[in-house]
Amino acid sequence: MSDEAAETRADEAAEPAGPVALGIVRTPTGHAGVDAHLARLADADHLAADGHVAVYEDVHRGLREALTALDAPPVPGPYENRS
């Protein structure tokens, strides 16, 4: 190995590795709102570890709201209040 090649490899080893996407496949759920929140997890792939928390909290909040909406009583339509 030449001295120049050895220096290049040493320089590459000294630099910290940047964020690398994990490549996890997300299977669609069929619920557009939930799928949008799960797709947001991909944003964490390009952030340093300290940026993951904000993305995870945002996704968690959105998923909780989607679950809470399932428990809400149905809203009557415009013609369902006739006497």
Side-chain angles (χ1 to χ4, degrees):
M1 182 180 311
S2 71
D3 290 336
E4 188 175 315
E7 285 180 30
T8 302
R9 290 186 67 132
D11 290 342
E12 289 173 358
E15 294 178 20
V20 177
L22 296 176
I24 296 173
V25 177
R26 293 173 190 86
T27 304
T29 65
H31 187 280
V34 171
D35 290 339
H37 290 298
L38 294 177
R40 170 115 166 76
L41 289 172
D43 293 345
D45 286 345
H46 308 289
L47 299 173
D50 61 349
H52 290 190
V53 173
V55 173
Y56 295 157
E57 286 178 348
D58 182 48
V59 171
H60 184 252
R61 183 175 26 260
L63 292 174
R64 286 186 59 146
E65 289 171 2
L67 285 172
T68 300
L70 293 174
D71 290 335
V75 177
Y79 301 107
E80 293 179 20
N81 291 328
R82 293 189 206 179
S83 353

